[in-house]
């Protein structure tokens, strides 16, 4: 199987720079799980890949460089949690996408307590973020002592896929309008609201009532030869951006935790910086809302050696 660059997704050098990375293979004739293709079966050339697969007659195989989390499956997962744990949580929607799909979330915790908004999927095929938010939804609605304590002290809102149209279409970083939900304000950084329809819905939801923390998880495709485990990273804004000194101190504490008490970052000694057109930047500047923005490297399935 030859794999070539699609100009509708990203630039050609960006495409090839993701490899060597994990290629996932799933056969409907076998188990329901994806398995990593042996690196010896993946040839990386200057402008394309060649994958060597062993197929049986009439066998259906899916091949992907990211372990997919489909929009329908994610909604089913959230509805399943809400059904099984109805005394602990409930689903909600922040509105419908451009193409009419509900943007579904899960709420758990204590009304009136500090509100925490957790999300992923601004860039729809960055599936590691969606999987991470699904895990957050599972955790905060569980019976673990730490989860029970969180529900007593906070109101948690988890939205694993804020760009369902892009997920269904397999878009890399855009919604159905062709707009980037991460760089939500485009070139109009002082606009009243973001430009993309789903970003407007998310913005209105975020500022509709006081928000204690904005937690945003993304996924990037780095290559194995570039960094060491755990391959992750994070983005920040200058603490001086906060006009509220107490919030600036809280945000600095969050940054210290990311830098000193987690495994991130591995590819750079310093975090990357949010541009002024991002929701993270504008929520901090306009509303003094601190955030955690974490990136998982979805091009790797673990610490595999480079061959």
């Amino acid at each position: 199987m030859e794999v070539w660059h699609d100009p509708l997704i990203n630039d050609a050098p960006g495409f090839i720079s993701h490899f060597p990375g994990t290629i996932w293979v799933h056969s409907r004739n076998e188990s329901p799980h994806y398995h990593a293709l042996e690196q010896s079966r993946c040839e990386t050339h200057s402008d394309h890949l060649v994958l060597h697969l062993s197929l049986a007659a009439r066998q259906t195989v899916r091949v992907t460089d990211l372990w997919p989390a489909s929009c329908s499956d994610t909604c089913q997962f959230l509805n399943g949690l809400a059904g099984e744990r109805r005394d602990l949580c409930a689903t909600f929607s922040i509105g419908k996408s451009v193409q009419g799909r509900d943007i579904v979330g899960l709420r758990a915790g204590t009304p009136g307590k500090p509100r925490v908004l957790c999300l992923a999927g601004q860039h729809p095929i960055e599936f590691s973020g969606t999987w991470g938010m699904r895990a957050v939804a599972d955790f905060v609605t569980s019976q673990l002592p730490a989860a029970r304590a969180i529900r007593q002290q906070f109101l948690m809102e988890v939205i694993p896929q804020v760009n369902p149209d892009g997920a269904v279409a397999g878009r890399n970083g855009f919604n159905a309008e062709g707009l980037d939900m991460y760089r939500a304000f485009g070139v109009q950084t002082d606009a009243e609201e973001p430009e993309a329809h789903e970003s407007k819905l998310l913005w209105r939801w975020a500022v509709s009532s006081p928000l204690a923390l904005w937690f945003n998880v993304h996924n990037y495709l780095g290559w194995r030869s570039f960094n060491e485990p755990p391959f992750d990273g994070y983005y920040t804004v200058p603490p001086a951006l906060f006009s509220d000194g107490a919030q600036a101190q809280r945000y600095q504490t969050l940054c210290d935790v990311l830098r000193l008490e987690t495994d991130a970052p591995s590819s750079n000694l310093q975090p990357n910086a949010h541009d002024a057109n991002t929701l993270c930047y504008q929520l901090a500047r306009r509303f003094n809302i601190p955030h955690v923005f974490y990136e998982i490297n979805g091009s790797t399935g673990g610490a595999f050696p480079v061959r």
Side-chain angles (χ1 to χ4, degrees), residues 15-29:
F15 160 75
I16 205 65
S17 72
H18 301 161
F19 303 97
T22 302
I23 300 295
W24 299 99
V25 179
H26 168 247
S27 173
R28 293 182 181 178
N29 306 68

Side-chain angles (χ1 to χ4, degrees), residues 156-285:
M156 305 293 297
E157 296 177 338
V158 186
I159 311 174
Q161 181 50 269
V162 297
N163 187 352
D165 294 350
V168 171
R171 302 298 300 274
N172 183 30
F174 305 96
N175 73 341
E177 302 169 294
L179 297 173
D180 184 347
M181 285 189 65
Y182 168 65
R183 297 172 178 85
F185 286 86
V187 298
Q188 302 294 328
T189 57
D190 290 325
E192 184 178 347
E193 290 188 316
E195 56 181 359
H197 170 73
E198 291 86 355
S199 293
K200 287 186 176 70
L201 295 176
L202 186 58
W203 177 262
R204 294 168 188 171
W205 187 268
V207 302
S208 61
S209 62
L211 188 61
L213 177 65
W214 164 275
F215 182 25
N216 194 339
V217 179
H218 275 238
N219 174 134
Y220 77 104
L221 286 176
W223 51 103
R224 280 203 197 107
S225 57
F226 175 51
N227 14 353
E228 297 297 326
F231 308 101
D232 300 341
Y234 65 101
Y235 281 62
T236 63
V237 299
L241 186 65
F242 294 83
S243 59
D244 183 318
Q247 289 294 75
Q249 187 173 22
R250 291 188 184 96
Y251 180 68
Q252 185 62 66
T253 301
L254 291 169
C255 294
D256 289 344
V257 170
L258 283 172
R259 187 180 71 257
L260 299 173
E261 295 190 19
T262 74
D263 291 327
S266 63
S267 57
N268 296 289
L269 294 179
Q270 298 296 327
N272 289 309
H274 290 296
D275 291 332
N277 59 5
T278 62
L279 292 180
C280 293
Y281 189 101
Q282 293 300 331
L283 287 172
R285 183 179 75 86

